[in-house]
Amino acid sequence: MAKFKKKKSGELPAVSTASLPDIVFMLLFFFMTVTVMKDDDIMVENELPTANQVQKLDKKDRVVYIYAGKPHPRYQSKYGTQARIQLNDKFESVDAVASYILAERASMRQELQPLMTTALKVDKETNMGLVSDIKQELRKVNALKVNYTTKEGDAMNNLK
């Protein structure tokens, strides 16, 4: 009778890749949950006024932000204490608002361009002359959907 012998070769068995998709998806979900999307670095003091009839904007991809107010104390030595306009992490003059809006509109998808809204985040201590100048520049480029960003609360608190 013949004996059956097992072949003993020195080869290692193939690496199992059955759990590889599980590991990849676990890493994907981990990075999706811990990643923070960068917003603008606000370089102006931005204490928003309060209002009692507030509506929330639902589509953030259609909104372009313009910040206005006194420079933050760490920038006052360079830019002074007068109210300034901030566009995309830079202080700009009122004349730059129109070109900024046109550039932001051009970077949007074609179907979203007519739906673009300009949100003004203006410090409550900023004078209305600067806001009026910004609105004049927005009219020049036909950006007529303007939103004033506020905090929810009693509007009478703004008088203090």
Side-chain angles (χ1 to χ4, degrees):
M1 197 182 301
K3 286 188 176 180
F4 293 101
K5 281 186 170 181
K6 271 190 173 178
K7 267 190 173 179
K8 292 189 177 182
S9 64
E11 295 178 20
L12 292 174
V15 176
S16 174
T17 59
S19 64
L20 190 60
D22 294 336
I23 294 170
V24 169
F25 282 115
M26 185 172 53
L27 286 172
L28 176 70
F29 288 129
F30 171 76
F31 286 115
M32 285 174 51
T33 55
V34 299
T35 302
V36 177
M37 300 304 246
K38 181 187 177 292
D39 286 335
D40 292 332
D41 289 331
I42 300 176
M43 299 165 59
V44 296
E45 291 182 7
N46 200 0
E47 186 176 339
L48 300 174
T50 56
N52 54 8
Q53 296 180 359
V54 178
Q55 290 182 340
K56 192 168 188 162
L57 293 174
D58 22 326
K59 307 281 186 190
K60 299 283 185 193
D61 59 341
R62 303 174 184 175
V63 180
V64 176
Y65 293 98
I66 296 176
Y67 298 93
K70 290 191 308 186
H72 196 272
R74 67 177 176 241
Y75 300 108
Q76 285 182 358
S77 63
K78 186 174 181 180
Y79 297 106
T81 58
Q82 292 294 327
R84 310 247 337 181
I85 299 171
Q86 178 187 343
L87 308 171
N88 274 351
D89 297 337
K90 290 192 305 188
F91 286 120
E92 297 285 350
S93 66
V94 176
D95 300 332
V97 171
S99 60
Y100 169 72
I101 294 296
L102 290 174
E104 289 292 318
R105 186 183 291 157
S107 69
M108 287 183 171
R109 294 192 326 245
Q110 186 71 29
E111 62 270 9
L112 293 180
Q113 288 179 0
L115 304 172
M116 184 183 84
T117 302
T118 305
L120 298 178
K121 288 192 170 188
V122 181
D123 185 56
K124 68 181 187 178
E125 298 297 323
T126 304
N127 65 19
M128 198 59 193
L130 182 62
V131 176
S132 178
D133 292 343
I134 294 171
K135 287 172 47 179
Q136 290 295 331
E137 290 294 314
L138 293 174
R139 286 186 193 125
K140 288 179 185 177
V141 292
N142 203 24
L144 303 177
K145 288 185 181 179
V146 179
N147 172 36
Y148 294 97
T149 306
T150 64
K151 294 186 297 188
E152 193 167 357
D154 186 15
M156 298 307 281
N157 291 339
N158 295 328
L159 300 175
K160 294 178 183 176

